[in-house]
Amino acid sequence: MQRLGVLTSGGDAPGMNAAIRAVVRTAVARGLKVTGIAHGFAGLIAGEFQEMDSGSVAGIIHRGGTILRTARSAEFMRPEGQAKAVVRLQEAGIDALIAIGGDGTFRGTASLAAMGIPAAAVPATIDNDIAGTDYSIGFDTAVNTAVEAINKIRDTATSHERVFLIEVMGRESGHIALMAGLAGGAESILVPEIPFDLQVVMERVIKARQANRLHSIIVVAEGAAGAPGLGEEIARLTNMETRVTILGHIQRGGTPTAYDRILASRMGAAAVELLLAGRRGFMAGLVGEGIVARDLDQVVGRRKEISRELYELAAVLA
Ligand code: F6P
């Protein structure tokens, strides 16, 4: 193994840059050459290659987004696209590949591994829905962004004695909603994984008012319910002033937390070391205190479940 390729793919996540930096610097320290591939698998098919060295990843550990840019590639989903990608890698003399991203990225990486490319994946998605790793890069930053927003909304919610619905990201997973809701002291947390009863949500709002609480905060994962419609419904049924805030892509940007930078640094470095040690077709995941290799076949298509224990705790503390 002499030349390593690195790319970021799918939705971006704060900390991706720290992961790129760790991959490049670990590879350089181990005597490898590195090719950066722009725009994920789409850029791989198009041959968007750039030489990388220690200096090209200087000054990025604290930056959100990804210096390699990212994309979702429909062409790469098809076998012809994957075959083209393999040819491109061979033409560029890239012996192994590290892909940083979420589940879609992992599928692509697994396909390349099945075609004989020594490939590894690093989990980076604010959704934190990748099975086999305790955390994915970007999740901690996104949760902190959401909690900061909840804190601010709480101030105005109290002043006006309003009900607030705060919609956070998570089309199919409620990890951000659960953690942000728990840390933000939400009265109700609605996640796609657990059906909710509108009656129960309203009863909580009404009870809180009777107990002299001046506001209500309901955190809604985007995949659990459409917050605007739900807000109208709650306003109509409770007769309380209700407002809705959708946090949206603000959760995907910003400077990564120290936790995400350290996680990204560890995972990126481990991915290189594991490839050098002969592992193939794996994800560098966090399990407890350690970074371990997990076979991509065991990870792809499986979703990390939310913690029922924390969900119940949040309900008791609300
Ligand atoms: O990164 C994952 C995610 O943030 C989901 O929670 C969200 O639904 C989706 O990406 C949004 O993606 P896009 O950037 O394509 O709108």
Side-chain angles (χ1 to χ4, degrees), residues 107-139:
R107 275 174 216 277
T109 314
S111 309
L112 289 177
M115 294 167 89
I117 302 293
V122 170
T125 163
I126 64 162
D127 289 340
N128 200 36
D129 57 350
I130 303 289
T133 183
D134 293 350
Y135 288 102
S136 293
I137 297 162
F139 174 64

Side-chain angles (χ1 to χ4, degrees), residues 10-13 72 124-129 168-173 176 222-223 248-249 251-252:
D12 62 354
R72 294 189 170 101
T125 163
I126 64 162
D127 289 340
N128 200 36
D129 57 350
V168 298
M169 272 190 165
R171 218 168 3 215
E172 286 161 79
S173 71
I176 296 179
E222 62 177 327
H249 287 79
Q251 296 157 97
R252 287 247 293 266

Side-chain angles (χ1 to χ4, degrees), residues 4 27 32 83 114 169 215 232 235 295 311:
L4 180 66
L32 301 175
M169 272 190 165
H215 60 255
E232 275 175 30
D295 283 344
Y311 183 79

